[in-house]
Amino acid sequence: MRANREKEALKADFIEARGYWNEFWDGLLELDPRFFKAYLNFSSIPWTNGVLEPKVKEFVYIAIDASTTHLYEPGLRIHIKNAFKYGATKEEIMEVYQLVSILGMHTCTMGVPVLLDEMRQAGKGGELAVPLTAKQLKLKEEFTENRGYWSELWDGLLTICPEFFEAYLRFCSIPWSPGFLEPKVKEFMYIAIDAATTHLYEPGLRIHIQNALKLGATKEEIMEVFQLTSVLGMHTCTVGVPILIEESNNLEKQGNS
């Protein structure tokens, strides 16, 4: 009886701190309440001492769950429902999707510099040492105006494939013209997906921290984005524990048959 009361108390504490409950927590609470309690304490920090408004916290969860490096539908559904509960609109959540959908472009921001370096080492770098055309300069100016920054990571792509760069510029500028989310919150979405354990993309992380600070973000806000994103590893249990319980039950049934 005492153990059951402790589990019920932990469930109530979770709901109070995190604002929701899902059945995939039931198995973990049953199998290892001590670990569940430790996770509750860990994940509750940004919710009990946080500085971001609740719907923005949920946007961070939506961003990392919807990113192409994770695509975790159970969590995505939960955090969309939670975001609505905290006053988010479908337009704001759609904008989170638009921001996060640029993740694939890191193929170019990582790959093109490597390509250019290998070309130089192969003695083919001379063809790159040409000044930008008037159109390329205009595209650089437009990117800087639309996105609020420029990075040398874009130089190579603009030089060797301006048509693709222009198409990306049109694509990535949509949520910035002008969009529904506060500009620094947009940068928080980029920070979350770049810092997530499924990506860990430092060049982009540095750029978007710099941008967020320039837009008025505080170190406490950015640290809270890190705290929220750090719980991503718990999906090991939200996916794994129900499977463990199901297979354990199947094994018991086979043993009794």
Side-chain angles (χ1 to χ4, degrees), residues 90-107:
K90 65 180 184 298
E91 289 82 9
E92 288 174 322
I93 295 172
M94 187 64 224
E95 192 160 285
V96 172
Y97 289 165
Q98 292 171 349
L99 292 162
V100 173
S101 66
I102 61 93
L103 192 65
M105 198 58 181
H106 293 165
T107 295

Side-chain angles (χ1 to χ4, degrees), residues 4-237:
N4 288 336
R5 287 197 299 270
E6 289 176 349
K7 292 172 187 175
E8 287 301 316
L10 285 172
K11 181 176 180 177
D13 289 344
F14 186 99
I15 294 170
E16 181 179 358
R18 298 292 307 280
Y20 80 99
W21 184 261
N22 186 274
E23 62 182 11
F24 57 52
W25 295 119
D26 290 330
L28 178 60
L29 181 56
E30 181 64 30
L31 285 179
D32 198 335
R34 188 169 64 109
F35 185 65
F36 179 88
K37 181 178 181 180
Y39 172 71
L40 168 59
N41 293 336
F42 169 61
S43 68
S44 296
I45 295 298
W47 289 92
T48 55
N49 303 301
V51 292
L52 299 175
E53 62 177 309
K55 74 173 182 179
V56 172
K57 300 181 204 284
E58 295 295 343
F59 291 158
V60 171
Y61 292 140
I62 289 168
I64 58 177
D65 282 347
S67 67
T68 55
T69 50
H70 197 49
L71 298 176
Y72 181 62
E73 183 178 336
L76 182 59
R77 287 186 179 277
I78 287 169
H79 295 299
I80 287 175
K81 291 177 183 177
N82 290 351
F84 282 144
K85 183 179 68 176
Y86 291 125
T89 66
K90 65 180 184 298
E91 289 82 9
E92 288 174 322
I93 295 172
M94 187 64 224
E95 192 160 285
V96 172
Y97 289 165
Q98 292 171 349
L99 292 162
V100 173
S101 66
I102 61 93
L103 192 65
M105 198 58 181
H106 293 165
T107 295
C108 288
T109 56
M110 186 274 291
V112 171
V114 173
L115 170 62
L116 298 181
D117 185 55
E118 291 301 324
M119 288 178 66
R120 292 186 188 97
Q121 293 190 46
K124 299 180 179 180
E127 61 191 76
L128 303 173
V130 294
L132 295 177
T133 66
K135 181 176 181 180
Q136 288 169 323
L137 288 170
K138 178 65 175 175
L139 290 172
K140 181 176 181 179
E141 179 183 329
E142 189 175 347
F143 184 99
T144 305
E145 180 179 350
N146 290 0
R147 296 294 308 280
Y149 80 100
W150 182 261
S151 169
E152 63 182 12
L153 293 174
W154 298 116
D155 289 335
L157 180 60
L158 179 58
T159 298
I160 65 176
C161 197
E163 296 83 2
F164 187 65
F165 179 88
E166 181 175 9
Y168 174 70
L169 168 60
R170 305 288 173 244
F171 173 65
C172 74
S173 295
I174 296 295
W176 290 90
S177 56
F180 297 92
L181 302 177
E182 185 182 356
K184 72 174 182 179
V185 172
K186 300 181 203 282
E187 295 294 344
F188 293 159
M189 301 304 105
Y190 293 139
I191 289 170
I193 61 175
D194 283 348
T197 54
T198 49
H199 197 48
L200 298 176
Y201 182 63
E202 184 178 335
L205 181 60
R206 288 187 178 277
I207 287 170
H208 295 298
I209 287 176
Q210 292 167 9
N211 291 350
L213 292 171
K214 184 174 66 174
L215 290 167
T218 66
K219 67 181 184 299
E220 290 80 12
E221 288 175 320
I222 296 172
M223 188 64 227
E224 192 161 300
V225 173
F226 290 159
Q227 292 171 351
L228 292 161
T229 304
S230 295
V231 305
L232 194 68
M234 198 58 178
H235 293 166
T236 294
C237 288

